[in-house]
Amino acid sequence: MTAMNELRSAAPATRHPLAWVPTLYLAQGLPFYAVALVAGLMYKSMGVPNEQIARWTGLLGLAWVFKALWSPFLELARSKRGVVVCFQLAGGLAMAAMALVLQLPAWFAASIILFAVVALASSTHDICADGIYIASLNERQQAAYAGWQGAFFNAAKFLSMGGLVMLAGFLEDRMGPGPAWATVFGLLGALMAGLGLYHLWALPATPASVRPQGGARGVAGTLLDVIRAFFAKPGIWMAILFIILFRAAEGQIQTIGPLFLRDSRALGGLGLTTAQVGAVYGSAGTVAFLAGSIAGGYFTAALGLRRAMPFLIVAMNLPNAVFWYLSVAQPESLGVIALGLGVEMFGYGFGFVGVILFIMQVVAAGAYQTAHYALGTGFMQLGFVLFKMISGDIQAALGYRDFFLWVLVAALPVLVLSRFVWRAAPGASAS
């Protein structure tokens, strides 16, 4: 009887998954999009040049590149729920502090430091959040609630690029950029803190994982084995190059595209207000991305990854011609602009399926599948970051019109490489 009572006390608290899955992945998405997208629009409103915006926000993305290197050490934590709540509160506090530092003379440097805290907290939070999802749900439940998982992560983009950016635009006209963005980040910080406090109650207490033998030294040894096995895969370097180049055009478009929309027509932009950018990206753009992602998944399942890959690459990059068209035609109709961005985001969502499945089915196949998937997605993020960091300098040198032509050219190497990568890839038998 005593043993049964101990077992019951050790069992995780049972809460319906809908009590925590949606909010957990909303909390995962909010800080990510705050760093990846919202920060750039804030800096644009504050008068920061495109080169600096691209360079510094790109550097911040390195937190998601290297998170796989410290993820095994989180197994030493006694409670995944505690780690998740801690990093949600830390990220919320850092974003709330943004409301204060934007009033300082050295606001740019201080804001970069705070965004770095948000990035590190968010990337580390992702690891344990996914761990809770996997440990608390059986395979059938994992599949059943995967839609909620993806929907609320993308709902964070809708809320960030739609609601919050539109609010910033509304407030900019009334109180100026600094106070407007201070208000927005204060609200975002309060929302993250509220989610953290809610998750103290809502998150299941996952069964305690087996602590690695040898403590941190044992974890470090396992990590070295994982890395050695990853780089020992046949054809791994060509696969890594393919993954990095897959995001060459996307990393540049996703960075410069919103800045192009904001810049004045005299400088080659479209001269949209902050609120208008929030409306077209946060509403039509997000819906189109979700529709493209779903369609891309079904298309790839029907055709097979190997045969579908060239179509996915073209789908992801050809719509970037939309930006070239907008830079040439410079339409004034917000409806035409929204339609063009909807096409671009649909293609982006449709094609992005390709790199995810390539990592999952080809690169990560074999031993250490989960860890190797994390390493593969790290290289995927590295491709995004590398091209994001240089995109501002390229745009400043070429101007918007020629920059968007360059982006189309930047998509060609991965299309050519897709014809050869299967011969040497680690899981070349993938259909």
Side-chain angles (χ1 to χ4, degrees):
M1 183 65 69
T2 302
M4 181 63 70
N5 288 335
E6 289 178 354
L7 182 61
R8 285 173 178 166
S9 65
T14 55
R15 305 217 184 277
H16 195 284
L18 289 183
W20 56 272
V21 170
T23 54
L24 180 63
Y25 283 90
L26 180 67
Q28 186 176 106
L30 285 172
F32 174 79
Y33 289 118
V35 173
L37 297 175
V38 178
L41 289 171
M42 180 191 78
Y43 287 137
K44 189 66 178 178
S45 291
M46 302 283 281
V48 180
N50 287 1
E51 312 90 283
Q52 290 192 44
I53 294 174
R55 188 178 303 119
W56 285 103
T57 57
L59 280 171
L60 293 169
L62 290 175
W64 286 274
V65 174
F66 295 110
K67 69 178 183 180
L69 298 182
W70 61 81
S71 61
F73 293 93
L74 294 175
E75 294 297 331
L76 298 172
R78 296 187 180 277
S79 169
K80 286 186 174 68
R81 177 172 62 182
V83 173
V84 164
V85 170
C86 176
F87 283 109
Q88 285 177 4
L89 295 175
L93 182 62
M95 285 190 279
M98 198 77 67
L100 301 176
V101 305
L102 290 178
Q103 317 303 320
L104 300 176
W107 65 269
F108 182 74
S111 67
I112 290 294
I113 292 171
L114 286 176
F115 276 130
V117 173
V118 173
L120 287 169
S122 176
S123 59
T124 307
H125 164 276
D126 293 356
I127 300 163
C128 284
D130 292 338
I132 288 177
Y133 185 86
I134 293 169
S136 302
L137 305 177
N138 59 39
E139 289 187 1
R140 188 179 68 83
Q141 289 174 316
Q142 289 173 19
Y145 294 103
W148 291 90
Q149 180 189 46
F152 274 81
F153 183 85
N154 283 286
K157 183 178 182 180
F158 178 83
L159 178 60
S160 301
M161 288 295 287
L164 291 176
V165 171
M166 290 175 68
L167 175 62
F170 175 81
L171 295 175
E172 280 181 356
D173 295 336
R174 287 155 180 79
M175 59 176 64
W181 287 100
T183 302
V184 165
F185 274 99
L187 290 172
L188 192 52
L191 177 57
M192 282 297 298
L195 287 169
L197 294 175
Y198 170 74
H199 287 143
L200 275 175
W201 170 82
L203 287 182
T206 56
S209 58
V210 178
R211 292 170 67 82
Q213 294 184 352
R217 181 174 295 180
V219 171
T222 301
L223 178 60
L224 287 175
D225 286 340
V226 167
I227 294 173
R228 286 194 201 101
F230 182 81
F231 287 104
K233 291 173 180 277
I236 189 63
W237 290 108
M238 183 176 288
I240 289 172
L241 180 62
F242 178 79
I243 293 168
I244 290 175
L245 291 178
F246 199 100
R247 306 195 75 183
E250 177 215 346
Q252 297 176 80
I253 281 287
Q254 295 299 312
T255 305
I256 300 299
L259 307 182
F260 159 73
L261 299 178
R262 286 292 321 279
D263 244 338
S264 69
R265 291 178 178 268
L267 295 174
L270 294 186
L272 301 188
T273 66
T274 302
Q276 288 173 324
V277 172
V280 296
Y281 255 121
S283 54
T286 301
V287 172
F289 176 80
L290 290 174
S293 298
I294 294 170
Y298 283 115
F299 175 82
T300 307
L303 204 61
L305 179 59
R306 186 168 184 170
R307 286 190 293 165
M309 185 63 79
F311 298 100
L312 298 174
I313 294 171
V314 170
M316 187 168 177
N317 292 288
L318 188 58
N320 293 335
V322 168
F323 275 101
W324 179 79
Y325 164 76
L326 293 176
S327 69
V328 172
Q330 291 197 308
E332 296 186 3
S333 168
L334 193 61
V336 172
I337 296 170
L339 177 63
L341 293 177
V343 171
E344 190 267 336
M345 292 300 287
F346 180 90
Y348 169 36
F350 190 96
F352 191 72
V353 170
V355 68
I356 291 294
L357 289 177
F358 180 79
I359 296 169
M360 187 179 298
Q361 298 179 3
V362 180
V363 173
Y368 298 120
Q369 185 171 10
T370 301
H372 287 175
Y373 179 76
L375 286 170
T377 55
F379 280 108
M380 179 185 73
Q381 182 67 11
L382 179 62
F384 183 86
V385 167
L386 289 176
F387 288 97
K388 178 185 180 75
M389 288 173 60
I390 63 173
S391 61
D393 296 292
I394 297 173
Q395 183 276 317
L398 298 179
Y400 283 117
R401 187 181 302 182
D402 290 342
F403 170 78
F404 292 130
L405 283 177
W406 150 254
V407 169
L408 288 171
V409 173
L412 295 179
V414 73
L415 186 60
V416 173
L417 193 61
S418 68
R419 294 181 57 86
F420 305 99
V421 71
W422 302 99
R423 300 174 187 173
S429 60
S431 59

